[in-house]
């Protein structure tokens, strides 16, 4: 006669968990600086006779655009009527605007198994 050892394994559920997610929405203020340019046009009367059309030019931060007109005298002459001086001015503006940010979080709940319901007695 001889004794033998036999080992068996059985899978037993000891508990369950349920995982779900939820989304929370938070509103935060976002600050930013917006840069831009404003253009100002000034008409400068010239009324000078010229031999040829002047080129568009820039002096300091001013762009000068010649405006020409042909005038009939006894002969045709090119008269510089005016110049447009275009000034550029830099602007800067601080703004605040609401932005919605979403955060997701996990909620974990323990769920009793069928075996847990029978062992409560």
């Amino acid at each position: 006669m001889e004794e033998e050892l036999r080992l068996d394994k059985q899978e037993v559920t000891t508990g369950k968990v349920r995982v779900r997610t939820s989304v929370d929405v938070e509103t935060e203020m976002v600050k930013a600086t917006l840069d831009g340019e404003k253009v100002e046009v000034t008409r400068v009367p010239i009324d000078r006779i010229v031999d040829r059309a002047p080129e568009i030019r820039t002096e300091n931060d001013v762009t000068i655009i010649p405006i020409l007109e042909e005038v009939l005298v006894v002969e045709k002459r090119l008269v510089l009527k005016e110049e447009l001086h275009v000034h550029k001015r830099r602007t800067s503006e601080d703004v605040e605007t609401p932005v919605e940010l979403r955060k997701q979080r996990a909620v974990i709940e323990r769920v009793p198994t069928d075996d847990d319901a029978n062992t409560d007695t």
Side-chain angles (χ1 to χ4, degrees):
M1 180 182 245
E2 178 177 315
E3 290 183 346
E4 289 182 5
L5 175 65
R6 193 169 119 200
L7 177 65
D8 290 330
K9 291 184 183 179
Q10 182 178 353
E11 191 173 300
V12 176
T13 303
T14 59
K16 295 181 181 179
V17 293
R18 179 180 302 139
V19 177
R20 63 182 171 87
T21 59
S22 68
V23 176
D24 298 330
V25 176
E26 293 180 3
T27 300
E28 292 187 14
M29 294 304 286
V30 175
K31 294 183 180 183
T33 300
L34 303 178
D35 296 327
E37 287 184 345
K38 290 187 179 183
V39 175
E40 194 178 290
V41 177
T42 306
R43 292 179 178 266
V44 179
I46 302 291
D47 279 330
R48 180 176 66 220
I49 296 172
V50 294
D51 295 330
R52 60 181 178 80
E55 298 288 325
I56 295 175
R57 66 189 189 279
T58 301
E59 294 178 4
N60 299 321
D61 282 334
V62 178
T63 302
I64 299 171
I65 303 168
I67 305 297
L68 302 169
E69 175 182 74
E70 288 183 344
V71 179
L72 187 62
V73 184
V74 174
E75 59 188 0
K76 189 165 65 169
R77 294 182 183 173
L78 199 55
V79 176
L80 178 61
K81 290 305 283 181
E82 65 179 337
E83 294 176 335
L84 295 181
H85 292 211
V86 180
H87 303 270
K88 290 184 184 178
R89 290 192 173 79
R90 295 227 175 254
T91 62
S92 185
E93 175 185 3
D94 292 328
V95 296
E96 287 187 17
T97 184
V99 175
E100 288 188 350
L101 302 177
R102 290 171 176 77
K103 292 181 183 176
Q104 198 173 50
R105 58 185 169 90
V107 178
I108 300 173
E109 303 170 1
R110 291 240 176 243
V111 179
T113 63
D114 294 335
D115 293 339
D116 290 342
N118 294 335
T119 57
D120 288 343
T121 56

